[in-house]
């Protein structure tokens, strides 16, 4: 369960590029990003099609960026943790900006609860 949460946190909160996905094509997200999108939807409530598409694109980019970070031999120890922390904050902010006020409250609770595990 903790491995799933860590993978979900990484996919949910890492980003580096601004790729767009078709609104209805969640299969293009990949498994970690799709799980993260499902988790967000379950916690914040129904997402509009534009929200779903944009958040999906953010999560897709996050998964790609996370993979690049894992494969980069120069990123280890403190340097890797710093970059990861910066990506987490930036991605959470990008996702939060797409949500309505009530959704933002629920998203904030989600992010805080994931940080405690």
């Amino acid at each position: 369960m903790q491995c799933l949460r860590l993978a979900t946190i990484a996919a949910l909160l890492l980003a580096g590029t601004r790729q767009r996905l078709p609104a209805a094509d969640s299969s293009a997200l990949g498994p970690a990003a799709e799980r993260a999108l499902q988790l967000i939807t379950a916690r914040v409530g129904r997402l509009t099609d534009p929200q779903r598409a944009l958040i999906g694109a953010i999560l897709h980019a996050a998964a790609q960026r996370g993979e690049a970070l894992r494969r980069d031999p120069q990123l280890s120890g403190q340097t890797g943790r710093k970059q990861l922390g910066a990506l987490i904050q930036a991605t959470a902010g990008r996702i939060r900006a797409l949500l309505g006020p009530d959704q933002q409250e629920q998203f904030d609770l989600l992010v805080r609860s994931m940080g405690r595990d």
Side-chain angles (χ1 to χ4, degrees), residues 17-53:
T17 63
R18 295 177 184 256
Q19 296 178 352
R20 303 277 180 195
L21 296 177
D25 191 9
S26 64
S27 64
L29 292 178
E34 179 59 30
R35 282 192 306 269
L37 185 59
Q38 289 172 356
L39 178 63
I40 291 169
T41 302
R43 293 295 287 272
V44 305
R46 187 183 182 292
L47 298 174
T48 65
D49 287 342
Q51 284 176 318
R52 185 171 175 81

Side-chain angles (χ1 to χ4, degrees), residues 2 4 12 16 18 33 43 53 60 67 113:
Q2 188 166 356
L4 174 60
L12 198 159
R18 295 177 184 256
R43 293 295 287 272
H60 180 72
E67 185 62 30
S113 73

